[in-house]
């Protein structure tokens, strides 16, 4: 029987150099980083590597007191690891689909739980969503990234990008919201009449409202964060 031979499996699934640069989608759910100097990635996402690479947990003062204070205050924030050296690093996060963006001076906000990796030249800052901290168990936070370089983020299944235009706001479930363009400032609105229809967690009547001009990325899945249990 010719099917299912080991060599066939190896040939079909083996790693291939695609020449895409620093960030390369080895599969839709595994990111290959062709490391030459340094990269930041979410803690716990490394699945394999080859070469001379040193891994360090994000230092307490690595990014300054301001970011440390925010992380301590929220009790949240996915920890980062710094990979330094040269080689190939493979990262993945719970089998989620990976998207890569090349920033050329633009800015983007990514849900803190969905940020996978970014180049060290990218400027970033943690933005807390204080207004809903008491409405969604554990609250939510996002990371604003801007500058020049690549950013990789994840989503459960295929992401959908919704265009936001003046006079035509977009409303999203916070638990299904992955990212949005940096010039948008989401508001948080509650509508008790939508309590049974919008969302599944303890903050099910809370929505994010995006107004202005830009885009917002959602996923076909409502992520439950930090003890926010489904009802």
């Amino acid at each position: 029987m010719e099917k299912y031979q080991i060599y066939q499996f190896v040939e079909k699934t083996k790693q291939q150099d695609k020449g895409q640069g620093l960030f390369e989608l080895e599969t839709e759910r595994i990111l290959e980083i062709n490391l030459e100097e340094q990269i930041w990635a979410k803690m716990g996402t490394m699945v394999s590597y080859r070469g001379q690479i040193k891994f360090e947990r994000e230092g307490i003062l690595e990014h300054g007191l301001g970011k440390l204070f925010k992380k301590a205050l929220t009790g949240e924030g996915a920890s980062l690891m710094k990979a330094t050296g040269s080689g190939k690093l493979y990262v993945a996060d719970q089998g989620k689909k990976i998207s890569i963006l090349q920033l050329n001076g633009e800015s983007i906000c990514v849900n803190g739980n969905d940020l996978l990796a970014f180049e060290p030249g990218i400027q970033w800052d943690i933005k807390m969503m204080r207004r809903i901290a008491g409405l969604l168990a554990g609250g939510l936070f996002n990371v604003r990234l801007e500058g020049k370089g690549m950013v990789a983020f994840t989503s459960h299944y295929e992401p959908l990008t919704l265009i936001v235009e003046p006079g035509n706001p977009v409303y999203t479930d916070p638990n299904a919201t992955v990212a949005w363009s940096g010039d948008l400032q989401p508001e948080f609105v509650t509508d008790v009449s939508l309590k049974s229809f919008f969302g599944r967690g303890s903050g099910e009547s809370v929505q994010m409202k995006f107004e202005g001009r830009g885009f917002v990325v959602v996923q076909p899945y409502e992520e439950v964060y930090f003890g926010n249990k489904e009802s």
Side-chain angles (χ1 to χ4, degrees), residues 10 33 41 44 84-85 134 139-140 148 163 167 180 195-196 227:
V10 171
I33 301 173
T84 308
L140 289 175
K148 190 174 179 62
I163 304 302
W180 57 92
K195 190 172 178 63
S196 300

Side-chain angles (χ1 to χ4, degrees), residues 99-136:
S99 298
I100 300 172
L101 294 178
Q102 170 70 52
L103 297 186
N104 293 301
E106 305 100 330
S107 61
I108 187 170
C109 294
V110 180
N111 185 303
N113 197 52
D114 299 319
L115 182 60
L116 181 63
F118 58 93
E119 289 192 64
I122 296 284
Q123 292 83 49
W124 63 279
D125 194 16
I126 296 171
K127 302 291 185 181
M128 293 179 293
M129 302 183 184
R130 294 186 184 88
R131 289 187 58 188
I132 59 169
L135 298 172
L136 291 176

Side-chain angles (χ1 to χ4, degrees), residues 27-46:
T27 73
E28 290 186 337
R29 303 174 195 280
I30 298 179
L31 176 68
E32 178 185 277
I33 301 173
N34 294 298
L35 190 63
E36 294 182 352
E37 293 181 5
Q38 181 181 308
I39 203 74
W40 286 102
K42 184 178 178 180
M43 275 292 295
T45 59
M46 187 264 283

Side-chain angles (χ1 to χ4, degrees), residues 26 32 43 48 57 61 92 94 96 118 128 143 146 167 175 187 193 201 203 222 224 226-227:
E26 194 58 39
E32 178 185 277
M43 275 292 295
S48 181
R57 181 184 291 271
L61 297 177
Q94 302 178 64
K96 296 197 290 185
F118 58 93
M128 293 179 293
V143 182
E146 60 184 322
N175 290 334
E187 293 181 55
S193 67
E222 290 159 281
V224 179
F226 309 104

Side-chain angles (χ1 to χ4, degrees), residues 49-163:
Y49 73 94
R50 67 169 74 203
Q52 300 299 315
I53 302 177
K54 179 183 178 183
F55 298 94
E56 297 176 85
R57 181 184 291 271
E58 178 187 11
I60 292 177
L61 297 177
E62 185 86 45
H63 295 109
L65 285 170
K67 293 186 177 71
L68 174 67
F69 174 72
K70 289 178 184 178
K71 295 181 81 166
L73 188 66
T74 58
E76 301 172 354
S79 295
L80 298 173
M81 66 175 180
K82 179 168 60 175
T84 308
S86 62
K88 290 185 180 293
L89 169 62
Y90 299 92
V91 295
D93 191 6
Q94 302 178 64
K96 296 197 290 185
K97 188 178 177 71
I98 299 168
S99 298
I100 300 172
L101 294 178
Q102 170 70 52
L103 297 186
N104 293 301
E106 305 100 330
S107 61
I108 187 170
C109 294
V110 180
N111 185 303
N113 197 52
D114 299 319
L115 182 60
L116 181 63
F118 58 93
E119 289 192 64
I122 296 284
Q123 292 83 49
W124 63 279
D125 194 16
I126 296 171
K127 302 291 185 181
M128 293 179 293
M129 302 183 184
R130 294 186 184 88
R131 289 187 58 188
I132 59 169
L135 298 172
L136 291 176
L140 289 175
F141 72 101
N142 65 80
V143 182
R144 179 184 169 88
L145 305 112
E146 60 184 322
K148 190 174 179 62
M150 283 192 280
V151 174
F153 63 90
T154 59
S155 61
H156 284 280
Y157 312 106
E158 286 69 30
L160 172 67
T161 299
L162 303 168
I163 304 302

